[in-house]
Amino acid sequence: MEKLKGELRALIAGVMPGRENALVFGEGPKSPKLMLIGEAPGEQESLQGRPFVGKAGKNLDHFLELAGLAREEIYISNVVKYRPTKTGKTGRISNRPPTREEIALFSPWLLREIEWVSPQMIATLGNVPLKALTDAGATIGQMHGRVIEANQANRPLFALYHPASLIYNRSLTDVYENDVLLLAKLLRA
Ligand code: URA
């Protein structure tokens, strides 16, 4: 993995010098039952150098509790490994969704990371990792809550809504929770 990380640092240093020092890599055991893949690190993730801490960590805790899993037994990562930011009129820095170019830049490395981690199953959070790993123009609305076998990672992929999207759409909370329970059932089978 250190060699793989070095290759990504070199790639990012080439296109965005300086950014290679703020990469947030995935964490967790090799050959886990589940590899969870999010979008990109946020502020806390970038500050702490770990995925899914801060507010997103709370969402993750909720997921783990529902699924009956411990953080230590799964591998957690993101498609884009740095925090995408924008600067507002007042100079305030905030998160923005990764661009198509950023997703394309990081996706080949993600595939190699998945290969290295070798999880039994992948769960994607939201549209960004789903689109990075499937060819079809499918959206999370169509694909959530079921196993997608035909995907670029060559292993079963289960699509979930991104927990952050539930804040803005309360009706999705039930859908998300049912999907997580189904995923937990599949992992136990
Ligand atoms: N934090 C992460 O690490 N990933 C996300 O997708 C959102 C917040």
Side-chain angles (χ1 to χ4, degrees):
M1 182 40 91
E2 285 315 308
K3 183 169 166 277
L4 266 186
K5 287 182 179 176
E7 287 176 25
L8 186 64
R9 281 194 196 98
L11 173 75
I12 300 305
V15 286
M16 271 165 284
R19 279 268 175 153
E20 73 278 11
N21 299 318
L23 297 178
V24 179
F25 289 99
E27 61 180 32
K30 269 193 91 157
S31 309
K33 259 191 274 191
L34 185 70
M35 177 170 177
L36 197 62
I37 306 176
E39 195 168 275
E43 184 181 18
Q44 275 307 312
E45 286 78 11
S46 195
L47 286 171
Q48 297 183 38
R50 294 182 62 200
F52 287 93
V53 290
K55 217 181 280 170
K58 294 241 163 58
N59 291 335
L60 178 66
D61 289 343
H62 177 58
F63 166 85
L64 292 169
E65 200 181 320
L66 272 177
L69 293 165
R71 181 172 176 127
E72 302 73 44
E73 64 181 317
I74 68 171
Y75 191 97
I76 300 162
S77 198
N78 286 299
V79 178
V80 169
K81 291 329 196 244
Y82 60 62
R83 178 191 179 201
T85 57
K86 59 177 190 251
T87 308
K89 284 196 197 95
T90 57
R92 190 176 161 269
I93 293 171
S94 60
N95 296 340
R96 61 165 169 78
T99 63
R100 204 179 303 177
E101 289 75 21
E102 286 169 329
I103 296 166
L105 177 66
F106 283 95
S107 290
W109 198 87
L110 174 67
L111 289 176
R112 296 174 66 199
E113 182 183 22
I114 293 169
E115 192 76 6
W116 185 87
V117 173
S118 193
Q120 278 172 37
M121 191 174 315
I122 290 170
T124 54
L125 298 176
N127 267 317
V128 169
L130 177 65
K131 286 186 191 286
L133 296 176
T134 58
D135 293 319
T139 63
I140 189 70
Q142 301 163 317
M143 305 302 265
H144 75 91
R146 58 193 168 94
V147 177
I148 304 162
E149 294 284 352
N151 62 74
Q152 294 183 24
N154 284 322
R155 63 198 76 228
L157 184 156
F158 193 91
L160 291 166
Y161 279 100
H162 198 291
S165 68
L166 308 177
I167 303 169
Y168 310 107
N169 192 340
R170 278 279 148 199
S171 64
L172 280 183
T173 303
D174 285 351
V175 177
Y176 170 78
E177 291 186 346
N178 281 327
D179 288 349
V180 174
L181 292 175
L182 177 59
L183 171 64
K185 209 163 144 187
L186 292 170
L187 291 173
R188 281 195 303 268

